[in-house]
Every structure is written in C-alpha cells, then in structure tokens.
Amino acid sequence: MANYYTDHPEIGFHLNHPLMKRIVDLKERNYADKEQYADAPVNYEDAIENYKRILDITGDIAANIIAPNSEDVDLEGPHLENGRMIYASKTYENLDVTRKAGLWGVSMPRRFGGLNLPNTTFSMLSEIISAADAGFQNVWSLQSCIDTLYEFGSEEQRAKYIPRISQGETMSMDLTEPDAGSDLQRVMLKATFDEENNCWRLNGVKRFITNGDSDIHLVLARSEEGTKDGRGLSMFIYDKRDGGVDVRHIEHKLGIHGSPTCELTYKNAKAELCGSTRLGLIKYVMALMNGARLGIAAQSVGVEQEAYNEALAYAKERAQFGKKIITFPAVYDMLSRMKAKLDAGRSLLYMTSRYVDIYKALEDIARERTLTPEERQEMKKYSRIADAFTPLAKGMNSEYANQNAYDSISVHGGSGFIMEYKCQRLFRDARIFSIYEGTTQLQVVAAVRYITNGAYLAHIKEMLQSEVAENLKPLKARVEKLVELYEEAVAILKGSDIDSHDFLARRLYDMTGEIIMSLLILDDATKAPELFAKSAQVYVQMAEANVNGHYTYVKNFKAEDLESFKAE
C-alpha cells in the first residue's frame, strides 16, 4: 500500500472545494491563533497546506505501519485479562505512532492541545486510516466523542478531559444495552446522585460497546427514577481512572477484529453529568450519533477504495484464456461500477462534511459572541441540510462498501475465498458498516421526512441549476428525466397509508441518494474530467436503471400487495 493520500488525488480535489474557504475562515476566527501558536496558519492557503501535510503524514503512517500490521491484528484480536480489555499487540504500535504524530484531538481547539481541523479534514484522515485497517479506524476515530463533551460539557470538564484526548487517550460512547439496541429509549443503566460525595453513581450493564475499555466514556443512563422513555435519560462522563467498570465479555466478531466490542458492568461507578439532565437522548446522543454516522461514512469510503484497489491490481495480473482478466467485459463492468460508486459516494461524504463544518463552526462562535442575523440564518440553513444528508452519506456509503467488497471477491474468483487474500478481510470488515450506528433501515427512517417534506427535491432542483461540461449535458438531461419520475414517486409515497409508506420508503431513499450522487459526480467531472469523467458516465447509467426500476415498483404498488410480503 503506497501513501494513500498522494496516491488518490480525488481527496485533494475535495480538499480544494470552494466552500472550504468559508469553513477555514470560520474555524480559524480570522487566524487569531497565529500570534499564540507556532503551528497555527496565517491565512487560507497556509491552512490548506497544513491540512495537506497532515494528510500526507497520515497516509505515510497508514501505508507503512497500520496496513502492514492489519493482518496480525485481524488474527490476534483483543482479549480479556482480569476484567480488562487488552488490545492486539500491533494495535498498541498503531496507537503509539499516531500519538507521536500528533493525530489525536484533531478537531479540538489549540488551547486544549488540539489541531483545530475541520470535520472535512477529519473525515479524510478517517478514510485514509480505514483503508489501512477499518478496525483500528474505530479505535482512533472515537476520539470524535470529545466533540460532544466540548459542545455540551462545562468549561471545567473541557479543561479536564480534552487535553487528555489530545495526548492520545481513547474514548467510547456507551449507549447500547442487552434490551436497548436501536430503541435507546429503553436504556435502564441507573444513575443516582451521591449526595455525600457530590457525584453521580452508575449501575448496570452496557453491551456491544466499541472500544469499551477506553480511558474516557460518554454514557447514556437513566437519571430520573420511575421514567421509562427518553425523557428520563441523561449523559454522563466516566473516567476509567476512577474505576467501577469491568469488562465482562469481548465479542467474537465476523470482522473489524482490531476493534474491541465489549460488554461492561457498572458497579457504583463514579461519573459526572454532561450538560443538563433529561437531555441525554433527545439532544446529546443525537449529536453524538450524527458525528458517528459521518465517521462510518468515511470508514466506508476507505474500504470502498481499498476493495477497488485490490480488485484492480488482481485483474491486471491474473490471466485466463491467454488474456489478462481486466480485458473481459464481465470484469471491467464490475470494476467500473466499483469505481463509480466510490467516486460518487466520496463526493456525498465530503459535501455532507462541509455542511456540518459550517454550522458547527457557527455554533462554536455563538458560544463566544452573538451571531449576526446573516450568520444565524446560515447556521440554521446548514444545520438542516447536514441533518438531512448525514443519513444519506452513512446509509449509501455503507451499502456501497459492502457491494464493493463483495465484487472485489468476485473479481478474485476462487482466490477471493482464500484467507491469504486481503479482499476477504475487507468483506468481513464491511459487513458491520450498514449495521452499527444505526442500520440502513434506520437511516431510511431518519431521511424519509426530508423526502416527504420536499427538502431533498428542493436541493436536487437547486443542483440542477449548475452548468455541466458540454459533453456531459446529455447525461444531465437523463438525470433531469429521473427527477421527474422521483417527484411523481414522492407524491405517491405521501399519499400512501402508513404501512405502504414505511414499506416503500427504502425505494425512495435509494432514488434520492442515486439522483443526488449523479448530480454530484457530473459536477465533479465538469471540474476535473481527468479524475471523474468515466465514473460520471458509468454512475449515471447505473442510477438511471435503478431509479427507473424503483419508480416502476412504487407506481405499480398497491396496499393489498403487502399481504404477499408479510412473514408473520
């Protein structure tokens, strides 16, 4: 694996998007840090060069340390000793090198020892690390939990915990329980206030906790006695130094073996309240989950790329019937669709990341001063758009990662089923992406209101106003016809009964994602045809077939058809 960043100019293309100027100006507060911190940029160009250096360093570490370690980590995995989780030995090497390189606390302000990077750049780092080892990306990227503490914790808590994350301490978010998976309103881990010691105490069990024996945990717990819904839940900070939490079990998983998934027992564990009581689920976890979902989208893109890389390399070398298999239509059809999904999915990821960056930066500025009316309007606009696009970015990319990993094995043929080939690990790793941090079905639930209220359609029509290169206009005309079909399908969904609405929602979700990504890849191909022209051609044709199929399904569907599908 060569340096991932320098090998993939597509990342550099997205780093230089016009919206980055606004993002960097907001993030750097008119470059005020330059007087106090030697590594702070002095202007926009300096900031972009700084991001490129960090991406290059990360690409080098990913290529020369994390990727070579990945096979050993996959084989060894973490293990349990006396109630503690012990990482695979090579994971400690990965942690050490990323700490020495300063790749922790990357989104945090410099006053807390952070790098003050935008979320877009953080997503790029996540993509790079995921391509080397998706399991380690989990361990490393969970540092982003600190964003929630930064947003909702007190200044005292920020000063106490953020510098520790910037030095490389690990984090986890402890949400799921044996009886509360996707339905987090059922969380019952009990939080009681200890008057004598002026702290909270946590008691109960958490399950399926990624990186569960981390240094600092954000914990969802029931603080209001007698409640049974989300309004009785609060968010707490647990510090491993205080003790009281043991690892009862480490799950033996299909993939991402380097990422420990733990069952935890809380026994009178000391904790601090983060923010206000009763807002744990309805406000703080939603912020936490949106960040995590964007992280899974980045993780997915990294695996999409690596699956394609492995398939392409094999197809170039493998000969059958006297020819390299890359010359066979059945093979280059698969490869071209893998590349098109990757390019379109990456464009959706970084578009969403940029929207998140703008509203998050304005929210942060609002903690220091009153926003102007224009800034408030801008913050609200991008907050709404980011909320709409996050479930699309997570759901579509996690599905594409699975599809690319599947196709990578297909290109390898029988060799892809052999454990010595990397594609089998990518396949195993990718399977969780469309499950954790909200299944694809839950991403549909999160997105469907933006389908029915017309938010996506309005955004699509706005995107249609952009000019494309002359040679791409026939493709754009085909997408315009798809938008007409989509608008009709949305009207059908809005007029359907509740069961039909829920049943058809996934088709509309896929139509939404594929039309938006078609327009994104056309825009990218207009600006950088050398990178994206082929993918634009392939993706739009693929989307056209899929959208037409979904439209036909929705148009011909009748409520009574549901009886044929019910499994009960």
Side-chain angles (χ1 to χ4, degrees), residues 477-514:
R478 289 161 75 171
V479 177
E480 287 170 342
K481 290 181 180 178
L482 299 182
V483 176
E484 293 174 11
L485 300 181
Y486 173 71
E487 191 164 6
E488 188 179 336
V490 170
I492 292 170
L493 185 74
K494 288 169 68 176
S496 63
D497 64 90
I498 186 66
D499 286 345
S500 299
H501 174 282
D502 292 350
F503 183 80
L504 294 173
R506 175 64 185 271
R507 276 86 178 175
L508 271 295
Y509 173 90
D510 288 343
M511 291 172 79
T512 305
E514 291 181 329

mmCIF file of all heavy atoms in Angstrom, residues 477-514:
data_model
loop_
_atom_site.group_PDB
_atom_site.id
_atom_site.type_symbol
_atom_site.label_atom_id
_atom_site.label_comp_id
_atom_site.label_asym_id
_atom_site.label_seq_id
_atom_site.Cartn_x
_atom_site.Cartn_y
_atom_site.Cartn_z
ATOM 1 N N ALA A 477 -29.294 15.630 -18.942
ATOM 2 C CA ALA A 477 -30.671 15.563 -19.432
ATOM 3 C C ALA A 477 -31.346 14.264 -18.985
ATOM 4 O O ALA A 477 -32.543 14.249 -18.653
ATOM 5 C CB ALA A 477 -30.689 15.677 -20.955
ATOM 6 N N ARG A 478 -30.571 13.196 -18.924
ATOM 7 C CA ARG A 478 -31.128 11.920 -18.464
ATOM 8 C C ARG A 478 -31.454 11.986 -16.977
ATOM 9 O O ARG A 478 -32.464 11.437 -16.515
ATOM 10 C CB ARG A 478 -30.144 10.793 -18.776
ATOM 11 C CG ARG A 478 -30.070 10.503 -20.268
ATOM 12 C CD ARG A 478 -28.832 9.755 -20.686
ATOM 13 N NE ARG A 478 -28.855 8.342 -20.326
ATOM 14 C CZ ARG A 478 -27.946 7.463 -20.744
ATOM 15 N NH1 ARG A 478 -26.955 7.859 -21.556
ATOM 16 N NH2 ARG A 478 -28.027 6.196 -20.387
ATOM 17 N N VAL A 479 -30.598 12.670 -16.208
ATOM 18 C CA VAL A 479 -30.875 12.832 -14.774
ATOM 19 C C VAL A 479 -32.123 13.689 -14.568
ATOM 20 O O VAL A 479 -32.934 13.416 -13.670
ATOM 21 C CB VAL A 479 -29.663 13.443 -14.047
ATOM 22 C CG1 VAL A 479 -29.974 13.671 -12.569
ATOM 23 C CG2 VAL A 479 -28.437 12.541 -14.170
ATOM 24 N N GLU A 480 -32.300 14.721 -15.389
ATOM 25 C CA GLU A 480 -33.490 15.567 -15.276
ATOM 26 C C GLU A 480 -34.772 14.743 -15.434
ATOM 27 O O GLU A 480 -35.770 14.981 -14.744
ATOM 28 C CB GLU A 480 -33.432 16.686 -16.320
ATOM 29 C CG GLU A 480 -32.396 17.763 -15.979
ATOM 30 C CD GLU A 480 -32.162 18.751 -17.109
ATOM 31 O OE1 GLU A 480 -32.526 18.424 -18.271
ATOM 32 O OE2 GLU A 480 -31.615 19.834 -16.850
ATOM 33 N N LYS A 481 -34.756 13.775 -16.341
ATOM 34 C CA LYS A 481 -35.916 12.890 -16.515
ATOM 35 C C LYS A 481 -36.139 12.023 -15.270
ATOM 36 O O LYS A 481 -37.281 11.743 -14.894
ATOM 37 C CB LYS A 481 -35.729 12.014 -17.747
ATOM 38 C CG LYS A 481 -35.809 12.795 -19.055
ATOM 39 C CD LYS A 481 -35.642 11.886 -20.260
ATOM 40 C CE LYS A 481 -35.724 12.693 -21.564
ATOM 41 N NZ LYS A 481 -35.509 11.827 -22.756
ATOM 42 N N LEU A 482 -35.016 11.613 -14.631
ATOM 43 C CA LEU A 482 -35.132 10.831 -13.398
ATOM 44 C C LEU A 482 -35.766 11.663 -12.283
ATOM 45 O O LEU A 482 -36.527 11.141 -11.465
ATOM 46 C CB LEU A 482 -33.759 10.329 -12.950
ATOM 47 C CG LEU A 482 -33.005 9.402 -13.904
ATOM 48 C CD1 LEU A 482 -31.688 8.963 -13.280
ATOM 49 C CD2 LEU A 482 -33.849 8.192 -14.284
ATOM 50 N N VAL A 483 -35.450 12.948 -12.258
ATOM 51 C CA VAL A 483 -36.014 13.834 -11.234
ATOM 52 C C VAL A 483 -37.534 13.925 -11.401
ATOM 53 O O VAL A 483 -38.284 13.962 -10.406
ATOM 54 C CB VAL A 483 -35.359 15.229 -11.293
ATOM 55 C CG1 VAL A 483 -36.022 16.173 -10.282
ATOM 56 C CG2 VAL A 483 -33.862 15.130 -11.000
ATOM 57 N N GLU A 484 -38.009 13.956 -12.630
ATOM 58 C CA GLU A 484 -39.456 13.980 -12.870
ATOM 59 C C GLU A 484 -40.121 12.720 -12.308
ATOM 60 O O GLU A 484 -41.183 12.789 -11.669
ATOM 61 C CB GLU A 484 -39.728 14.097 -14.374
ATOM 62 C CG GLU A 484 -39.304 15.429 -14.975
ATOM 63 C CD GLU A 484 -39.453 15.440 -16.492
ATOM 64 O OE1 GLU A 484 -40.082 14.501 -17.036
ATOM 65 O OE2 GLU A 484 -38.940 16.382 -17.131
ATOM 66 N N LEU A 485 -39.493 11.574 -12.550
ATOM 67 C CA LEU A 485 -40.019 10.318 -12.021
ATOM 68 C C LEU A 485 -39.976 10.315 -10.493
ATOM 69 O O LEU A 485 -40.911 9.844 -9.830
ATOM 70 C CB LEU A 485 -39.221 9.125 -12.559
ATOM 71 C CG LEU A 485 -39.191 8.925 -14.075
ATOM 72 C CD1 LEU A 485 -38.377 7.675 -14.435
ATOM 73 C CD2 LEU A 485 -40.602 8.812 -14.637
ATOM 74 N N TYR A 486 -38.888 10.852 -9.942
ATOM 75 C CA TYR A 486 -38.715 10.918 -8.482
ATOM 76 C C TYR A 486 -39.812 11.773 -7.855
ATOM 77 O O TYR A 486 -40.423 11.383 -6.842
ATOM 78 C CB TYR A 486 -37.336 11.496 -8.172
ATOM 79 C CG TYR A 486 -37.078 11.773 -6.708
ATOM 80 C CD1 TYR A 486 -36.897 10.736 -5.798
ATOM 81 C CD2 TYR A 486 -36.978 13.087 -6.234
ATOM 82 C CE1 TYR A 486 -36.644 10.993 -4.457
ATOM 83 C CE2 TYR A 486 -36.725 13.352 -4.900
ATOM 84 C CZ TYR A 486 -36.558 12.306 -4.014
ATOM 85 O OH TYR A 486 -36.299 12.564 -2.692
ATOM 86 N N GLU A 487 -40.097 12.919 -8.474
ATOM 87 C CA GLU A 487 -41.126 13.813 -7.932
ATOM 88 C C GLU A 487 -42.481 13.115 -7.915
ATOM 89 O O GLU A 487 -43.251 13.237 -6.953
ATOM 90 C CB GLU A 487 -41.183 15.094 -8.765
ATOM 91 C CG GLU A 487 -42.008 16.189 -8.139
ATOM 92 C CD GLU A 487 -41.763 17.562 -8.750
ATOM 93 O OE1 GLU A 487 -41.016 17.666 -9.750
ATOM 94 O OE2 GLU A 487 -42.314 18.540 -8.206
ATOM 95 N N GLU A 488 -42.758 12.356 -8.951
ATOM 96 C CA GLU A 488 -44.016 11.611 -9.007
ATOM 97 C C GLU A 488 -44.044 10.519 -7.932
ATOM 98 O O GLU A 488 -45.075 10.309 -7.271
ATOM 99 C CB GLU A 488 -44.192 10.994 -10.400
ATOM 100 C CG GLU A 488 -45.550 10.369 -10.619
ATOM 101 C CD GLU A 488 -45.716 9.786 -12.014
ATOM 102 O OE1 GLU A 488 -45.006 10.231 -12.944
ATOM 103 O OE2 GLU A 488 -46.544 8.870 -12.169
ATOM 104 N N ALA A 489 -42.914 9.844 -7.728
ATOM 105 C CA ALA A 489 -42.840 8.782 -6.717
ATOM 106 C C ALA A 489 -42.997 9.347 -5.313
ATOM 107 O O ALA A 489 -43.629 8.724 -4.447
ATOM 108 C CB ALA A 489 -41.510 8.033 -6.843
ATOM 109 N N VAL A 490 -42.448 10.532 -5.068
ATOM 110 C CA VAL A 490 -42.607 11.184 -3.762
ATOM 111 C C VAL A 490 -44.080 11.477 -3.499
ATOM 112 O O VAL A 490 -44.590 11.259 -2.387
ATOM 113 C CB VAL A 490 -41.775 12.488 -3.692
ATOM 114 C CG1 VAL A 490 -42.139 13.297 -2.442
ATOM 115 C CG2 VAL A 490 -40.278 12.177 -3.692
ATOM 116 N N ALA A 491 -44.779 11.953 -4.510
ATOM 117 C CA ALA A 491 -46.218 12.240 -4.351
ATOM 118 C C ALA A 491 -46.993 10.967 -4.022
ATOM 119 O O ALA A 491 -47.910 10.990 -3.194
ATOM 120 C CB ALA A 491 -46.756 12.878 -5.632
ATOM 121 N N ILE A 492 -46.621 9.860 -4.653
ATOM 122 C CA ILE A 492 -47.283 8.577 -4.366
ATOM 123 C C ILE A 492 -47.028 8.172 -2.917
ATOM 124 O O ILE A 492 -47.943 7.742 -2.206
ATOM 125 C CB ILE A 492 -46.775 7.486 -5.337
ATOM 126 C CG1 ILE A 492 -47.237 7.779 -6.765
ATOM 127 C CG2 ILE A 492 -47.267 6.102 -4.896
ATOM 128 C CD1 ILE A 492 -46.592 6.911 -7.820
ATOM 129 N N LEU A 493 -45.774 8.334 -2.467
ATOM 130 C CA LEU A 493 -45.425 7.978 -1.087
ATOM 131 C C LEU A 493 -46.229 8.814 -0.099
ATOM 132 O O LEU A 493 -46.760 8.287 0.883
ATOM 133 C CB LEU A 493 -43.923 8.166 -0.854
ATOM 134 C CG LEU A 493 -43.409 7.706 0.510
ATOM 135 C CD1 LEU A 493 -43.349 6.183 0.579
ATOM 136 C CD2 LEU A 493 -42.021 8.284 0.816
ATOM 137 N N LYS A 494 -46.322 10.101 -0.342
ATOM 138 C CA LYS A 494 -47.045 10.999 0.563
ATOM 139 C C LYS A 494 -48.525 10.639 0.651
ATOM 140 O O LYS A 494 -49.162 10.838 1.686
ATOM 141 C CB LYS A 494 -46.889 12.449 0.105
ATOM 142 C CG LYS A 494 -45.502 13.017 0.343
ATOM 143 C CD LYS A 494 -45.299 14.346 -0.348
ATOM 144 C CE LYS A 494 -46.136 15.439 0.263
ATOM 145 N NZ LYS A 494 -45.852 16.763 -0.360
ATOM 146 N N GLY A 495 -49.071 10.092 -0.436
ATOM 147 C CA GLY A 495 -50.484 9.755 -0.446
ATOM 148 C C GLY A 495 -50.805 8.345 0.008
ATOM 149 O O GLY A 495 -51.971 7.946 0.027
ATOM 150 N N SER A 496 -49.782 7.592 0.402
ATOM 151 C CA SER A 496 -50.000 6.186 0.767
ATOM 152 C C SER A 496 -50.348 6.046 2.250
ATOM 153 O O SER A 496 -50.092 6.942 3.057
ATOM 154 C CB SER A 496 -48.756 5.359 0.450
ATOM 155 O OG SER A 496 -47.644 5.799 1.214
ATOM 156 N N ASP A 497 -50.944 4.891 2.612
ATOM 157 C CA ASP A 497 -51.215 4.605 4.013
ATOM 158 C C ASP A 497 -49.905 4.331 4.748
ATOM 159 O O ASP A 497 -48.864 4.136 4.127
ATOM 160 C CB ASP A 497 -52.159 3.411 4.136
ATOM 161 C CG ASP A 497 -51.536 2.134 3.596
ATOM 162 O OD1 ASP A 497 -50.878 1.415 4.360
ATOM 163 O OD2 ASP A 497 -51.688 1.870 2.374
ATOM 164 N N ILE A 498 -49.942 4.286 6.075
ATOM 165 C CA ILE A 498 -48.722 4.240 6.884
ATOM 166 C C ILE A 498 -47.887 2.995 6.603
ATOM 167 O O ILE A 498 -46.653 3.074 6.496
ATOM 168 C CB ILE A 498 -49.047 4.361 8.396
ATOM 169 C CG1 ILE A 498 -47.757 4.456 9.233
ATOM 170 C CG2 ILE A 498 -49.938 3.219 8.859
ATOM 171 C CD1 ILE A 498 -46.961 5.711 8.999
ATOM 172 N N ASP A 499 -48.508 1.835 6.458
ATOM 173 C CA ASP A 499 -47.744 0.619 6.212
ATOM 174 C C ASP A 499 -47.089 0.644 4.832
ATOM 175 O O ASP A 499 -45.934 0.256 4.673
ATOM 176 C CB ASP A 499 -48.648 -0.620 6.340
ATOM 177 C CG ASP A 499 -49.007 -0.940 7.781
ATOM 178 O OD1 ASP A 499 -48.344 -0.388 8.694
ATOM 179 O OD2 ASP A 499 -49.938 -1.735 8.012
ATOM 180 N N SER A 500 -47.818 1.099 3.828
ATOM 181 C CA SER A 500 -47.249 1.203 2.482
ATOM 182 C C SER A 500 -46.132 2.240 2.456
ATOM 183 O O SER A 500 -45.090 2.047 1.808
ATOM 184 C CB SER A 500 -48.339 1.587 1.474
ATOM 185 O OG SER A 500 -49.343 0.606 1.425
ATOM 186 N N HIS A 501 -46.342 3.347 3.163
ATOM 187 C CA HIS A 501 -45.326 4.399 3.269
ATOM 188 C C HIS A 501 -44.018 3.825 3.808
ATOM 189 O O HIS A 501 -42.941 4.028 3.229
ATOM 190 C CB HIS A 501 -45.864 5.506 4.184
ATOM 191 C CG HIS A 501 -44.887 6.595 4.496
ATOM 192 N ND1 HIS A 501 -43.882 6.441 5.435
ATOM 193 C CD2 HIS A 501 -44.763 7.854 4.000
ATOM 194 C CE1 HIS A 501 -43.191 7.559 5.517
ATOM 195 N NE2 HIS A 501 -43.697 8.430 4.654
ATOM 196 N N ASP A 502 -44.104 3.089 4.908
ATOM 197 C CA ASP A 502 -42.892 2.522 5.517
ATOM 198 C C ASP A 502 -42.265 1.457 4.624
ATOM 199 O O ASP A 502 -41.043 1.329 4.568
ATOM 200 C CB ASP A 502 -43.227 1.919 6.889
ATOM 201 C CG ASP A 502 -43.597 2.984 7.913
ATOM 202 O OD1 ASP A 502 -43.402 4.183 7.620
ATOM 203 O OD2 ASP A 502 -44.080 2.614 8.995
ATOM 204 N N PHE A 503 -43.096 0.705 3.933
ATOM 205 C CA PHE A 503 -42.604 -0.356 3.061
ATOM 206 C C PHE A 503 -41.873 0.216 1.846
ATOM 207 O O PHE A 503 -40.843 -0.315 1.423
ATOM 208 C CB PHE A 503 -43.782 -1.229 2.610
ATOM 209 C CG PHE A 503 -43.381 -2.408 1.769
ATOM 210 C CD1 PHE A 503 -42.872 -3.559 2.344
ATOM 211 C CD2 PHE A 503 -43.513 -2.366 0.382
ATOM 212 C CE1 PHE A 503 -42.496 -4.651 1.569
ATOM 213 C CE2 PHE A 503 -43.145 -3.447 -0.403
ATOM 214 C CZ PHE A 503 -42.636 -4.595 0.190
ATOM 215 N N LEU A 504 -42.388 1.297 1.291
ATOM 216 C CA LEU A 504 -41.817 1.882 0.069
ATOM 217 C C LEU A 504 -40.671 2.856 0.344
ATOM 218 O O LEU A 504 -39.952 3.235 -0.582
ATOM 219 C CB LEU A 504 -42.910 2.613 -0.714
ATOM 220 C CG LEU A 504 -44.028 1.746 -1.304
ATOM 221 C CD1 LEU A 504 -45.121 2.626 -1.889
ATOM 222 C CD2 LEU A 504 -43.481 0.788 -2.362
ATOM 223 N N ALA A 505 -40.503 3.266 1.598
ATOM 224 C CA ALA A 505 -39.544 4.331 1.925
ATOM 225 C C ALA A 505 -38.135 4.021 1.436
ATOM 226 O O ALA A 505 -37.424 4.914 0.958
ATOM 227 C CB ALA A 505 -39.545 4.589 3.431
ATOM 228 N N ARG A 506 -37.720 2.755 1.548
ATOM 229 C CA ARG A 506 -36.352 2.401 1.136
ATOM 230 C C ARG A 506 -36.140 2.662 -0.358
ATOM 231 O O ARG A 506 -35.063 3.105 -0.777
ATOM 232 C CB ARG A 506 -36.053 0.939 1.463
ATOM 233 C CG ARG A 506 -34.691 0.425 0.965
ATOM 234 C CD ARG A 506 -33.539 1.168 1.652
ATOM 235 N NE ARG A 506 -32.246 0.774 1.102
ATOM 236 C CZ ARG A 506 -31.515 -0.253 1.556
ATOM 237 N NH1 ARG A 506 -31.947 -0.986 2.567
ATOM 238 N NH2 ARG A 506 -30.356 -0.522 1.002
ATOM 239 N N ARG A 507 -37.164 2.420 -1.183
ATOM 240 C CA ARG A 507 -37.020 2.685 -2.618
ATOM 241 C C ARG A 507 -36.820 4.175 -2.879
ATOM 242 O O ARG A 507 -35.989 4.574 -3.685
ATOM 243 C CB ARG A 507 -38.254 2.190 -3.382
ATOM 244 C CG ARG A 507 -38.242 0.720 -3.735
ATOM 245 C CD ARG A 507 -38.784 -0.129 -2.617
ATOM 246 N NE ARG A 507 -38.817 -1.548 -2.963
ATOM 247 C CZ ARG A 507 -39.172 -2.497 -2.102
ATOM 248 N NH1 ARG A 507 -39.538 -2.188 -0.862
ATOM 249 N NH2 ARG A 507 -39.163 -3.763 -2.477
ATOM 250 N N LEU A 508 -37.576 4.990 -2.169
ATOM 251 C CA LEU A 508 -37.437 6.443 -2.333
ATOM 252 C C LEU A 508 -36.090 6.939 -1.819
ATOM 253 O O LEU A 508 -35.483 7.853 -2.378
ATOM 254 C CB LEU A 508 -38.583 7.160 -1.607
ATOM 255 C CG LEU A 508 -39.871 7.424 -2.393
ATOM 256 C CD1 LEU A 508 -39.637 8.394 -3.533
ATOM 257 C CD2 LEU A 508 -40.523 6.165 -2.888
ATOM 258 N N TYR A 509 -35.639 6.340 -0.726
ATOM 259 C CA TYR A 509 -34.318 6.682 -0.160
ATOM 260 C C TYR A 509 -33.224 6.410 -1.192
ATOM 261 O O TYR A 509 -32.353 7.261 -1.441
ATOM 262 C CB TYR A 509 -34.101 5.854 1.098
ATOM 263 C CG TYR A 509 -32.730 5.936 1.730
ATOM 264 C CD1 TYR A 509 -32.441 6.894 2.693
ATOM 265 C CD2 TYR A 509 -31.720 5.027 1.383
ATOM 266 C CE1 TYR A 509 -31.192 6.958 3.297
ATOM 267 C CE2 TYR A 509 -30.473 5.086 1.973
ATOM 268 C CZ TYR A 509 -30.208 6.052 2.928
ATOM 269 O OH TYR A 509 -28.962 6.097 3.511
ATOM 270 N N ASP A 510 -33.250 5.226 -1.798
ATOM 271 C CA ASP A 510 -32.241 4.883 -2.802
ATOM 272 C C ASP A 510 -32.319 5.809 -4.013
ATOM 273 O O ASP A 510 -31.292 6.226 -4.560
ATOM 274 C CB ASP A 510 -32.400 3.423 -3.239
ATOM 275 C CG ASP A 510 -31.958 2.432 -2.177
ATOM 276 O OD1 ASP A 510 -31.239 2.839 -1.237
ATOM 277 O OD2 ASP A 510 -32.330 1.240 -2.268
ATOM 278 N N MET A 511 -33.536 6.126 -4.443
ATOM 279 C CA MET A 511 -33.705 7.067 -5.555
ATOM 280 C C MET A 511 -33.100 8.422 -5.219
ATOM 281 O O MET A 511 -32.398 9.024 -6.032
ATOM 282 C CB MET A 511 -35.196 7.233 -5.885
ATOM 283 C CG MET A 511 -35.859 6.012 -6.487
ATOM 284 S SD MET A 511 -37.670 6.196 -6.625
ATOM 285 C CE MET A 511 -37.800 7.211 -8.108
ATOM 286 N N THR A 512 -33.368 8.884 -4.000
ATOM 287 C CA THR A 512 -32.827 10.172 -3.548
ATOM 288 C C THR A 512 -31.305 10.170 -3.619
ATOM 289 O O THR A 512 -30.696 11.079 -4.202
ATOM 290 C CB THR A 512 -33.268 10.461 -2.098
ATOM 291 O OG1 THR A 512 -34.685 10.401 -1.994
ATOM 292 C CG2 THR A 512 -32.778 11.828 -1.638
ATOM 293 N N GLY A 513 -30.693 9.164 -3.008
ATOM 294 C CA GLY A 513 -29.236 9.096 -2.961
ATOM 295 C C GLY A 513 -28.623 9.017 -4.343
ATOM 296 O O GLY A 513 -27.636 9.707 -4.640
ATOM 297 N N GLU A 514 -29.206 8.198 -5.220
ATOM 298 C CA GLU A 514 -28.605 7.994 -6.539
ATOM 299 C C GLU A 514 -28.762 9.215 -7.439
ATOM 300 O O GLU A 514 -27.862 9.521 -8.226
ATOM 301 C CB GLU A 514 -29.188 6.739 -7.182
ATOM 302 C CG GLU A 514 -28.720 5.479 -6.448
ATOM 303 C CD GLU A 514 -29.239 4.195 -7.050
ATOM 304 O OE1 GLU A 514 -30.351 4.208 -7.617
ATOM 305 O OE2 GLU A 514 -28.528 3.184 -6.963
#
